Amino acid sequence: MGSEMTKKYVFSFEEGDWRDKKLLGGKGASLAQMVQLGLPVPPGFTITTEACRDFYSYEEETIEKLVKELERGPPPDIRDKLIGEVWKIVDRLPVPEGLFEQVKVYVKKLEEKSGKIFGDPNKPLLVSVRSGAAVSMPGMMDTVLNLGLNDEVVKGLARLTNNEWFAYDAYRRFLQMFGRIVLGIKEELFDEVFKEIKSKYGVKYDVEVPVEGLKEAVERFKHVIQREWGSFPQDPWVQLELAVKAVFRSWMNPRAIFYRMANKISKKEADCTAVNVVAMVFGNMGWDSGTGVLFTRDVANGENRPYGEFLPNAQGEDVVAGIRTPMPLDKLKEMMPQIYDELIKASKVLERLNKDVQDIEFTIEKGKLYFLQNRDAKMTPLARVKTAVDLVMDGILTKEEALLKVKPEHIVSLLYPRIDPKYKGKPIAKGLGASPGAVSGQVVFHPDVAVEWARNGKKVILVRVETKPDDVHGFYAAVGVLTSRGGMTSHAAVVARAIGKSAVVGAEAISINYDNKEFRVGDLVVREGEWITIDGTSGDVYVGKIPTVEPELISEVNVLLGWADEVRKLGVRANADVPEDAVLARKFGAEGIGLLRIERMFRKPERLNLLRKVILAENVEERVKYLEPLAEMIKKDFKEILEIMDGLPVIIRLIDPPLHEFLPAPEEILKELYESKIKGVDDAALKEFEWLYNRISKLKEHNPMMGHRGVRVGVTYPEFYYYLTKSMVEATAELIKEGKNPILEIMIPQVALASEIKYVKEKAILPAIKDVESRYGISLLNKLKIGTMIETVRACLTADEIAKEVDFFSYGTNDLTQATFSFSRDDIEGKFLPQYIESGVLMYNPFETLDDKGVAKLIEIGTKLGKSSNQQLEVGICGEHGGDPKSIEILHRIGLDYVSASPYRVVVARLAAAHAAIKYKSIS
């Protein structure tokens, strides 16, 4: 305990190291930075995150257990019970020993700097008590403003400022905020009182309430506190101690826990919050005062122009909460040009120093500018990409730094749909497009309902008058958010942009009635459960499901991805089944086709009919009879895709799925047979049905995924692989004759034995190539590659033998994951997999992100063995994991040559591969 006594918990803004966000938190670091740059900042000090950690250390184990339970996503009733238990523990925790002795010393220093005295009615010092973790968590934790006010100090403040209205407005705000945040009293109790007072005086806005009404609010608010908690503490030191503890406690409030879970913020990144105690400056002291938020660039589209909002005669929470609709920043330029210029000049200094677009909160008190906070701005994915590129062009970032600013999900978000331009319907309302993408969903009015409906597979849009931090779980559940109040810096706008949800805010034509679960626009009524569409780019709101179209990527995406291509070691190809996929793949920068599934070409009725005859045939001659025309049919498809990808490799997989998948079920045939008998169909037709039923029954397997499929079909029916190979090789030969440069790579699936490959090469693949060479008079064998899909455990363990027979490996991680876990994907995902993840048995779905401890080890073993016996061996992956950023990082580490993903994930893979290369370069 003795060492704890000497521990330094408090730093002034002048002495704190602003580079140490881990200790000072983001807000404390930003205040220290701005003070040390010489910018006008109200004086204050930071209580470190270490103090918060020590606060929780008394019951750390118990709290950790409860938080782990919360992370599993329990139902609302259990969630609320767990949160209640956490808060009971937190409420009885003592603040670290010696902390408040240090706080008192720093309050004295604050008094000396400000010339004011804490708790003195004649020279009142009021402070804000603000949270601030190392990682920005906007609106997730708590802040208390105007602390230090009491019944005597408010009178002194009124005398000092000669503004009784201002003093009592500050006091009623403080009582409500202190009551809600520190004492845990429901906000509605205060709202109802103030609503009654506004009604009594016949006013609409808070600023219109006369001073008598504010005094009445103060008394009634104190009565609410007395009734719900006990006497309001008049001693400012008691207020400060309770407020600091409340900010510590807010680290464990439900929305903060949920935000950290949803944004995967680890304890390593941020394990507690700092507390910033700052002398109050007032934006509500008259029309020469105000408050606002400035972004150094437009956070919606990334344009290099200052963007923000300003509210005269207001405090900061009015802007963030969306209580009043703010003015654009240009109005400040008109009203106070000198202050505007000072603000812009400082903002550019902060942007260059912090190497990112800045989000700056400021207050103007009686014509003097004060900076309250700066942080890296939350932006739309569009703006994130554009600004990352522009900051390189402006000499602020390196290319590698810019690449790390953009997450793969930002690129995915740019593929959001938009309203089809051909759609002629009119929107029912218009707000501000706060976060892009056109989405349709069923209307819900409460975040808990959004979560419940989303769990049941419904797409929902959360509709609120304005959102609050407590609504954040509803954001994640909804496909979009719509509010009737608020601006581009309101809570709804900031959070939606941060998590990539479409949002329209400030749609003032919408009147929402929570009790009736409906909203109105004029005479139009939209009820809960009805469908609407919002366009987070234009701000338009429509009734019903509206047609959408896929967007085009902005030019900066190509610039950024070009830089990614310079850095990454992994090649990126695309999985494609049809020519349209190949066109998209090439458009998005794929370096070839990593998997073309041949079976998808059999879906057309005439082809499926021939394929069924091939499967049902009882001898080689009969199979060949149907394979010849079938091969000719699919040759056209091969040729088209090879031509689209001219000059780039195209891996075509020989038929892989169990053959029964192409046949009707025996039960269907039995039903047809029965119905035919009833109808009196002739004996010849009945015998045909009986033969078909017996033949399909004979081909049916108990475990088809482990049965007669893949290479096993090629071994048992070499003619099958011969004609499929002949078809694709002929397509290649014809293109070469036409002067094109097709690069064909033939892949054999489901291999477990090197001898399987050797057999089908000798009996089917090589004879087909030789026959085509002879027919077209050209040499092809040296232009083609033959490889295998590694998707069995044995193939990984004997990869050195297999590698001697092939030119390439491509890991089929979907089947390899099934084989490794002994899971049937189709069965487990709808049954026990969700429970495995919720209960913590599995940390994630191994079919989405590669299993690092099992499947990845097999890939690593197979790759090392394969390359040890064949140094020219090319190794890639063609499972769905090829488009998952975490999996791509693992595959880079293992040393694969390329990944292959669906066409729309190609851009993701290119960026994720660059991230992996940068990460491992810095580690090495």
Side-chain angles (χ1 to χ4, degrees):
M1 194 59 74
S3 64
E4 245 183 48
M5 293 285 288
T6 59
K7 197 178 281 187
K8 185 170 172 59
Y9 284 128
V10 185
F11 291 83
S12 70
F13 299 153
E14 288 79 6
E15 63 185 346
D17 178 0
W18 60 264
R19 294 166 191 85
D20 193 353
K21 282 188 182 180
K22 185 84 175 169
L23 183 68
L24 300 178
K27 192 168 284 162
S30 82
L31 288 162
Q33 182 188 63
M34 291 189 292
V35 164
Q36 291 165 37
L37 283 171
L39 299 179
V41 175
F45 57 87
T46 298
I47 301 168
T48 64
T49 56
E50 193 172 13
C52 180
R53 276 196 301 279
D54 288 350
F55 173 74
Y56 280 107
S57 67
Y58 297 102
E59 292 279 1
E60 189 172 11
E61 261 186 61
T62 312
I63 291 171
E64 279 295 313
K65 279 181 188 173
L66 292 167
V67 170
K68 276 197 165 64
E69 289 292 320
L70 282 168
E71 286 173 350
R72 288 172 188 157
D77 55 333
I78 296 172
R79 179 195 69 201
D80 294 344
K81 187 182 173 187
L82 289 168
I83 287 162
E85 287 179 41
V86 171
W87 276 45
K88 270 183 205 168
I89 294 166
V90 173
D91 277 338
R92 65 173 184 259
L93 291 177
V95 294
E97 191 175 338
L99 171 61
F100 267 93
E101 285 75 7
Q102 292 182 41
V103 167
K104 284 177 181 175
V105 170
Y106 276 83
V107 170
K108 290 296 174 194
K109 291 181 180 181
L110 192 49
E111 289 175 339
E112 289 165 16
K113 285 176 195 166
S114 64
K116 298 172 183 177
I117 309 252
F118 194 50
D120 186 339
N122 297 313
K123 296 190 214 171
L125 170 65
L126 304 184
V127 296
S128 63
V129 181
R130 298 171 180 265
S131 59
V135 174
S136 177
M137 295 169 55
M140 296 303 115
M141 291 177 295
D142 290 331
T143 290
V144 180
L145 305 179
N146 305 329
L147 188 139
L149 277 168
N150 59 26
D151 291 351
E152 292 306 312
V153 170
V154 73
K155 293 172 188 170
L157 185 64
R159 284 194 305 273
L160 190 71
T161 59
N162 196 28
N163 188 337
E164 196 177 28
W165 187 95
F166 155 74
Y168 279 91
D169 182 52
Y171 196 16
R172 68 95 189 167
R173 287 171 184 267
F174 170 58
L175 286 166
Q176 179 165 357
M177 199 175 264
F178 191 86
R180 176 174 63 85
I181 289 167
V182 179
L183 307 179
I185 298 168
K186 286 182 180 176
E187 189 171 23
E188 298 83 58
L189 299 175
F190 297 105
D191 287 343
E192 284 165 15
V193 168
F194 205 54
K195 192 175 177 183
E196 286 171 18
I197 289 169
K198 285 201 280 191
S199 178
K200 175 180 173 181
Y201 289 94
V203 298
K204 183 179 178 183
Y205 297 108
D206 296 2
V207 290
E208 297 170 326
V209 177
V211 73
E212 295 79 15
L214 295 175
K215 286 180 178 179
E216 184 183 338
V218 163
E219 292 308 313
R220 289 180 66 181
F221 282 3
K222 283 192 290 181
H223 178 71
V224 169
I225 292 169
Q226 174 74 48
R227 187 181 72 228
E228 299 293 323
W229 184 82
S231 294
F232 168 71
Q234 293 282 333
D235 183 346
W237 289 102
V238 174
Q239 295 172 9
L240 182 58
E241 186 165 350
L242 288 170
V244 168
K245 192 172 175 181
V247 173
F248 283 162
R249 183 179 64 198
S250 73
W251 177 254
M252 284 294 173
N253 73 36
R255 63 182 185 270
I257 292 169
F258 192 87
Y259 187 89
R260 291 195 294 275
M261 283 162 49
N263 289 279
K264 298 179 176 62
I265 297 171
S266 67
K267 280 189 79 171
K268 191 177 175 184
E269 293 172 287
D271 59 358
C272 228
T273 181
V275 181
N276 301 285
V277 179
V278 189
M280 283 295 301
V281 288
F282 298 97
N284 57 336
M285 288 189 76
W287 296 102
D288 61 348
S289 304
T291 187
V293 177
L294 161 73
F295 297 100
T296 51
R297 300 181 190 227
D298 193 318
V299 290
N301 59 31
E303 286 181 17
N304 187 6
R305 64 180 182 90
Y307 178 83
E309 293 171 331
F310 172 69
L311 259 181
N313 200 16
Q315 280 200 302
E317 75 266 25
D318 295 341
V319 177
V320 176
I323 291 166
R324 285 164 58 193
T325 301
M327 302 174 176
L329 199 67
D330 289 345
K331 281 287 180 187
L332 176 63
K333 191 175 184 179
E334 290 175 23
M335 294 165 68
M336 306 178 195
Q338 193 172 338
I339 283 176
Y340 177 85
D341 289 343
E342 188 183 347
L343 181 65
I344 299 303
K345 185 180 176 185
S347 73
K348 285 300 177 185
V349 170
L350 290 168
E351 181 182 83
R352 186 163 284 275
L353 183 61
N354 293 305
K355 294 190 161 195
D356 210 343
V357 179
Q358 295 298 288
D359 169 355
I360 299 166
E361 291 177 22
F362 64 92
T363 285
I364 300 162
E365 180 184 277
K366 290 190 167 295
K368 179 167 172 54
L369 173 66
Y370 291 94
F371 290 85
L372 304 184
Q373 179 179 348
N374 71 292
R375 61 188 172 197
D376 293 347
K378 302 286 184 189
M379 288 175 270
T380 65
L382 179 78
R384 178 68 281 172
V385 171
K386 179 166 171 47
T387 57
V389 172
D390 288 350
L391 288 169
V392 173
M393 302 304 182
D394 294 343
I396 295 171
L397 292 178
T398 65
K399 289 178 183 179
E400 286 193 0
E401 286 170 335
L403 286 166
L404 293 174
K405 292 280 184 193
V406 181
K407 295 178 181 176
E409 53 264 37
H410 290 140
I411 302 289
V412 174
S413 303
L414 293 180
L415 307 176
Y416 277 149
R418 55 191 170 86
I419 300 293
D420 189 334
K422 294 172 188 168
Y423 177 71
K424 301 302 179 189
K426 290 185 179 177
I428 57 164
K430 191 174 181 69
L432 300 169
S435 190
V439 292
S440 299
Q442 291 174 271
V443 170
V444 295
F445 294 96
H446 196 281
D448 285 349
V449 177
V451 171
E452 184 185 338
W453 286 26
R455 273 188 181 148
N456 292 326
K458 293 181 179 179
K459 288 187 175 181
V460 298
I461 291 177
L462 181 62
V463 180
R464 304 286 282 166
V465 175
E466 64 211 11
T467 65
K468 294 177 181 169
D470 291 328
D471 299 336
V472 73
H473 56 297
F475 276 68
Y476 285 93
V479 295
V481 179
L482 169 65
T483 71
S484 60
R485 287 214 300 250
M488 292 289 279
T489 53
S490 65
H491 174 264
V494 171
V495 175
R497 279 196 295 272
I499 65 175
K501 297 283 183 177
S502 300
V504 173
V505 301
E508 295 180 346
I510 291 172
S511 174
I512 297 169
N513 187 319
Y514 290 134
D515 293 336
N516 292 346
K517 296 183 180 178
E518 66 182 30
F519 73 76
R520 291 174 179 265
V521 181
D523 296 328
L524 178 70
V525 180
V526 178
R527 295 182 174 83
E528 187 161 82
E530 293 183 2
W531 285 80
I532 62 169
T533 300
I534 61 170
D535 186 339
T537 306
S538 68
D540 290 328
V541 181
Y542 302 84
V543 168
K545 290 184 186 179
I546 305 305
T548 58
V549 293
E550 296 301 324
E552 291 290 323
L553 293 176
I554 58 169
S555 60
E556 284 82 2
V557 171
N558 290 328
V559 173
L560 190 85
L561 290 173
W563 296 340
D565 294 342
E566 292 169 14
V567 171
R568 64 184 166 86
K569 306 295 182 194
L570 279 169
V572 178
R573 300 184 186 182
N575 299 339
D577 297 323
V578 292
E580 291 79 8
D581 289 345
V583 171
L584 270 180
R586 190 130 202 179
K587 175 185 170 184
F588 290 144
E591 296 161 324
I593 299 297
L595 173 63
L596 195 160
R597 303 170 185 90
I598 200 169
E599 53 274 3
R600 303 288 171 93
M601 295 178 175
F602 300 134
R603 285 176 174 170
K604 291 179 181 176
E606 66 277 14
R607 297 181 183 185
L608 183 59
N609 187 43
L610 276 173
L611 179 63
R612 284 178 172 176
K613 288 178 177 177
V614 171
I615 296 167
L616 292 168
E618 296 184 270
N619 55 61
V620 174
E621 292 75 17
E622 202 177 343
R623 273 191 291 279
V624 169
K625 176 183 167 186
Y626 299 119
L627 275 168
E628 283 182 337
L630 181 62
E632 198 61 37
M633 283 180 182
I634 60 175
K635 181 169 79 174
K636 184 172 73 67
D637 291 13
F638 291 143
K639 191 172 177 181
E640 189 175 354
I641 290 174
L642 284 162
E643 188 168 11
I644 290 166
M645 301 305 293
D646 193 53
L648 296 174
V650 175
I651 295 179
I652 302 177
R653 182 180 72 184
L654 292 162
I655 197 161
D656 179 47
L659 296 180
H660 82 279
E661 285 190 9
F662 301 101
L663 299 174
E667 296 78 18
E668 287 178 34
I669 303 302
L670 200 59
K671 186 184 174 188
E672 284 189 48
L673 176 60
Y674 178 72
E675 288 173 353
S676 298
K677 281 182 177 178
I678 292 173
K679 289 176 186 173
V681 173
D682 63 74
D683 287 347
L686 288 175
K687 279 185 181 176
E688 180 73 20
F689 274 123
E690 285 171 1
W691 174 86
L692 186 58
Y693 173 74
N694 291 329
R695 183 72 178 134
I696 290 174
S697 298
K698 190 177 178 182
L699 291 169
K700 190 178 178 182
E701 295 174 295
H702 293 294
N703 193 344
M705 294 306 290
M706 300 178 79
H708 194 207
R709 60 174 295 205
V711 70
R712 297 153 212 162
V713 173
V715 171
T716 53
Y717 303 148
E719 62 275 13
F720 215 138
Y721 268 25
Y722 171 88
Y723 278 98
L724 294 178
T725 301
K726 182 169 175 280
S727 177
M728 58 185 82
V729 176
E730 280 188 355
T732 304
E734 288 175 15
L735 286 168
I736 290 170
K737 287 274 192 181
E738 293 168 17
K740 303 289 195 310
N741 182 27
I743 302 174
L744 172 65
E745 302 188 1
I746 303 164
M747 182 157 69
I748 306 163
Q750 281 295 323
V751 165
L753 304 158
S755 53
E756 289 174 316
I757 295 174
K758 198 170 182 182
Y759 186 89
V760 294
K761 277 171 66 179
E762 288 175 2
K763 297 291 183 181
I765 296 171
L766 295 177
I769 294 170
K770 284 175 184 172
D771 287 349
V772 174
E773 284 179 327
S774 175
R775 180 182 170 189
Y776 287 86
I778 55 174
S779 175
L780 288 168
L781 192 56
N782 61 338
K783 292 184 173 71
L784 307 175
K785 283 184 180 179
I786 299 168
T788 184
M789 197 168 184
I790 304 282
E791 47 197 329
T792 68
V793 175
R794 192 181 190 282
C796 295
L797 300 176
T798 59
D800 50 343
E801 295 176 19
I802 291 171
K804 293 171 186 174
E805 296 295 332
V806 294
D807 301 306
F808 67 88
F809 285 175
S810 181
Y811 288 94
T813 51
N814 301 340
D815 274 8
L816 185 57
T817 300
Q818 289 194 113
T820 306
F821 279 92
S822 194
F823 281 166
S824 163
R825 180 176 184 175
D826 293 340
D827 293 323
I828 69 155
E829 288 196 328
K831 291 179 183 169
F832 63 82
L833 184 60
Q835 192 179 339
Y836 261 49
I837 293 168
E838 280 176 23
S839 60
V841 174
L842 271 174
M843 299 313 295
Y844 54 84
N845 183 341
F847 292 102
E848 290 176 1
T849 296
L850 201 61
D851 165 39
D852 199 9
K853 293 182 179 177
V855 178
K857 278 189 180 174
L858 286 170
I859 293 173
E860 189 166 12
I861 290 166
T863 302
K864 282 179 180 173
L865 287 172
K867 292 204 171 191
S868 70
S869 67
N870 179 353
Q871 291 183 0
Q872 303 303 312
L873 186 76
E874 188 176 54
V875 182
I877 175 186
C878 60
E880 287 174 35
H881 299 97
D884 172 64
K886 284 187 181 174
S887 304
I888 288 167
E889 186 180 312
I890 295 166
L891 296 165
H892 170 94
R893 188 193 73 214
I894 290 170
L896 264 66
D897 297 307
Y898 70 86
V899 296
S900 189
S902 65
Y904 276 104
R905 301 292 293 181
V906 164
V907 288
V908 172
R910 289 166 70 190
L911 182 58
H915 283 186
I918 293 166
K919 178 179 175 178
Y920 281 95
K921 176 183 168 187
S922 66
I923 290 172
S924 62

